[in-house]
Amino acid sequence: MQHEPIYITALSSISPLGTSLKEVWENYKRPDHFLGEKIYDNIPAWGASLTEDTQHRILTLANSDTKYKNLDPTVLYAIYAARETISQAGWEEGDFGVNIGSSRGATALFEKYHKEFIQKGEASTLSSPTTTLGNISSWVAHDLQTQGPEISHSITCSTALHSLLNGVAWLKSGMANKFLVGGSEAPLTPFTIAQMKALKIYSRFERNDPEGYPCRAFDLGKKQNSMVLGEAASMACLEKGNLDNALARIEGLGYATEILEHNISISSDAVCFQRSMAMALGKTAPNEVDAVVMHAPGTIKGDLSEVAAIKKIFGKDMPALTTNKWKVGHSFGASGMLSLELAVLMLLHQEFIGVPYVKYDAMPKHIKKVMVNAVGFGGNAVSVLVGIP
């Protein structure tokens, strides 16, 4: 794919699974989910919230600087995760680029300020600067005192993997030697949840449902949509060259879009995924891929179409399939990087993490290459192939 290899040298996230790679891995090995039912401004719904400990850490961060008190949770989550990732990578100087995106952006503040506007007929002083989408990368760059480029974008649910694409492009161009990439999302707000419910894709499983899983991601026999939203920020450090501290090597990248029938449609065999996975594979033989961490949002059409696309690309060489959304929900723009984190953890620990209610004929005993998929509203897909460094 590239003349000089590009490596992931650090990973960090905050999510319902915790804040450290060790804690995240331990929670992935548990068969239970991290979804809970709450009331969001009179709207009862499932959601995957950050742990109390993580929320306390975010509050401490917000109170550590007067400028941070008025920032949206998406920005605070990103700052916290970025600090941890940079520390892990040992990047002491600020000579690196930053590309962190979000699907919804400053959802909590936007809803708060718009409600005030409706009630009072005037906007708060900080309503504009704190709700712009560029807020995330610019505040992270400020906090880390970086000297490189800073980029923000929103490409719905494939946002974080598009950040990785951008980081790789900058590194390959020679315009940067290091890049911090990722996504941040805090979508557990009344209006956001109401929007998903209006699309008829949100989980309606009851708390006492005998199956016990509110989000049935990768359950190809489910009779109703079961998407659940979750909070998260997830980051990766990218560097080029042969590095001793590398966690994983980027083996291939793919991206594609497809013609839409309506705003949230995807074809029955996800043509965009077929194209992105084929591009990411490149000259790699399909039988060399041991696992795929699917996008699998927990909707009937979304899950079925992605599996159909995988079957078309891999045929008889089907890898083991998994997803993490049944456990941590769908964190929109951050979800792709959370999936990448799971892929890298499986490479590091040489252990496949399956979905508890899915029957597997066999699981890989050795994991050398893992494909990661993400797709968003608009039919834009990204696939990333990672391998052992």
Side-chain angles (χ1 to χ4, degrees):
M1 182 195 74
Q2 59 228 13
H3 298 299
E4 192 170 13
I6 294 177
Y7 292 94
I8 297 168
T9 54
L11 279 169
S12 186
S13 66
I14 59 170
S15 77
L17 300 175
T19 58
S20 70
L21 286 179
K22 181 176 183 292
E23 185 180 13
V24 168
W25 179 246
E26 288 174 352
N27 282 324
Y28 266 127
K29 295 183 70 172
R30 294 168 57 185
D32 46 340
H33 65 78
F34 288 75
L35 313 180
E37 204 170 18
K38 284 176 61 177
I39 306 294
Y40 299 92
D41 197 15
N42 298 321
I43 302 174
W46 290 99
S49 304
L50 300 180
T51 64
E52 286 188 18
D53 175 65
T54 306
Q55 291 177 23
H56 177 73
R57 295 182 188 210
I58 296 300
L59 182 61
T60 301
L61 170 62
N63 292 329
S64 68
D65 189 316
T66 54
K67 296 187 293 296
Y68 291 1
K69 288 183 179 180
N70 295 308
L71 297 179
D72 187 77
T74 51
V75 181
L76 294 171
Y77 296 174
I79 290 174
Y80 186 92
R83 285 182 182 181
E84 294 295 311
T85 317
I86 296 304
S87 174
Q88 188 187 131
W91 290 3
E92 296 179 359
E93 303 297 329
D95 61 339
F96 55 89
V98 176
N99 189 170
I100 303 167
S102 179
S103 176
R104 314 297 300 190
T107 312
L109 282 187
F110 199 95
E111 291 181 29
K112 171 179 176 279
Y113 286 137
H114 187 259
K115 185 176 182 179
E116 288 179 1
F117 173 72
I118 295 299
Q119 292 173 344
K120 300 178 181 178
E122 58 183 35
S124 298
T125 305
L126 294 176
S127 59
S128 173
T130 57
T131 58
T132 55
L133 198 57
N135 234 12
I136 300 181
S137 287
S138 58
W139 275 108
V140 167
H142 161 80
D143 185 74
L144 299 175
Q145 291 295 290
T146 66
Q147 307 303 315
E150 55 183 73
I151 309 164
S152 292
H153 66 241
S154 176
I155 312 176
T156 60
C157 304
S158 55
T159 294
L161 292 192
H162 272 285
S163 297
L164 186 142
L165 291 181
N166 285 347
V168 169
W170 277 80
L171 295 179
K172 290 179 69 175
S173 74
M175 294 176 67
N177 294 316
K178 300 175 181 177
F179 238 90
L180 173 69
V181 299
S184 183
E185 209 76 53
L188 297 181
T189 62
F191 186 49
T192 308
I193 290 172
Q195 290 175 72
M196 297 304 106
K197 283 181 172 269
L199 290 171
K200 311 297 183 188
I201 59 177
Y202 215 77
S203 176
R204 291 182 288 110
F205 283 94
E206 302 293 335
R207 180 177 290 276
N208 59 356
D209 186 87
E211 295 292 338
Y213 297 99
C215 176
R216 304 286 299 185
F218 190 32
D219 175 358
L220 302 183
K222 59 180 172 289
K223 303 302 182 185
Q224 60 177 301
N225 291 321
S226 65
M227 194 181 86
V228 174
L229 294 181
E231 301 179 296
S234 188
M235 311 288 163
C237 285
L238 305 181
E239 299 182 56
K240 61 182 178 180
N242 294 302
L243 304 160
D244 295 333
N245 63 330
L247 301 178
R249 172 174 166 157
I250 297 175
E251 301 277 350
L253 299 172
Y255 45 88
T257 56
E258 64 178 63
I259 297 172
L260 301 179
E261 292 182 14
H262 56 80
N263 290 8
I264 62 168
S265 70
I266 191 168
S267 51
S268 60
D269 54 358
V271 172
C272 56
F273 267 142
Q274 290 182 52
R275 292 172 179 166
S276 66
M277 287 188 289
M279 183 177 176
L281 277 174
K283 295 181 180 179
T284 302
N287 63 5
E288 291 183 40
V289 179
D290 301 296
V292 175
V293 181
M294 299 187 298
H295 180 72
T299 62
I300 296 172
K301 289 183 178 178
D303 293 5
L304 285 170
S305 64
E306 184 175 1
V307 172
I310 294 170
K311 287 179 178 177
K312 287 212 170 188
I313 292 299
F314 289 93
K316 62 180 178 60
D317 300 311
M318 280 291 288
L321 308 182
T322 191
T323 181
N324 56 13
K325 291 184 178 64
W326 66 273
K327 182 183 279 280
V328 296
H330 190 356
S331 54
F332 282 154
S335 63
M337 195 60 69
L338 274 188
S339 295
L340 183 72
E341 181 182 69
L342 172 57
V344 173
L345 285 170
M346 290 194 297
L347 287 171
L348 291 172
H349 293 276
Q350 285 297 295
E351 183 176 345
F352 177 76
I353 300 295
V355 179
Y357 47 77
V358 172
K359 183 180 178 182
Y360 290 88
D361 294 330
M363 291 188 181
K365 295 179 180 178
H366 304 287
I367 304 174
K368 294 182 179 179
K369 288 182 172 63
V370 182
M371 182 85 78
V372 181
N373 283 339
V375 69
F377 292 161
N380 56 83
V382 178
S383 297
V384 177
L385 184 63
V386 290
I388 295 173

